[in-house]
Amino acid sequence: MSTVFLALQTNEDTRPIIEAILQDNPGAVVDEQPAMVKINADGRLVVRRETIEELIGRDYDLQELQVNMITMSGNLDQTDDEITLFWKS
């Protein structure tokens, strides 16, 4: 299985987002760097709007993620409720 990843800037806005991603992807591995956090997962990584909203206590538009995203690896499928990174087989 190929690894997908999402890299985000390290700041106060992304801390709860990273926590939400890890809650929804228990097999994900975090690689913390001085200015970024890279989240790696085998085959698939899901970012759920609902989980982020629970942690930040307000409505969240997944488009907001792009402000702090550095890069990603994998095919992208996005709805209003989820972003999924995966590799097509």
Side-chain angles (χ1 to χ4, degrees):
M1 202 177 294
S2 297
T3 301
V4 296
F5 70 82
L6 179 64
L8 301 171
Q9 295 176 31
T10 301
N11 60 44
E12 291 304 313
D13 293 334
T14 58
R15 290 184 209 294
I17 295 167
I18 293 163
E19 184 179 336
I21 294 169
L22 294 175
Q23 279 184 24
D24 290 334
N25 300 275
V29 177
V30 176
D31 178 10
E32 294 187 48
Q33 302 293 322
M36 76 169 201
V37 173
K38 183 179 170 193
I39 305 169
N40 300 292
D42 287 334
R44 185 170 184 263
L45 184 71
V46 178
V47 181
R48 291 189 176 96
R49 178 187 51 79
E50 182 179 29
T51 308
I52 294 171
E53 288 177 345
E54 288 172 6
L55 292 174
I56 65 173
R58 67 169 177 86
D59 289 344
Y60 185 81
D61 184 336
L62 287 175
Q63 295 292 321
E64 294 178 56
L65 186 66
Q66 294 180 20
V67 172
N68 291 298
M69 187 179 345
I70 296 170
T71 189
M72 61 173 214
S73 175
N75 295 37
L76 176 75
D77 184 24
Q78 182 171 348
T79 67
D80 289 341
D81 297 319
E82 284 186 2
I83 295 173
T84 304
L85 293 175
F86 62 98
W87 288 115
K88 292 182 182 178
S89 20

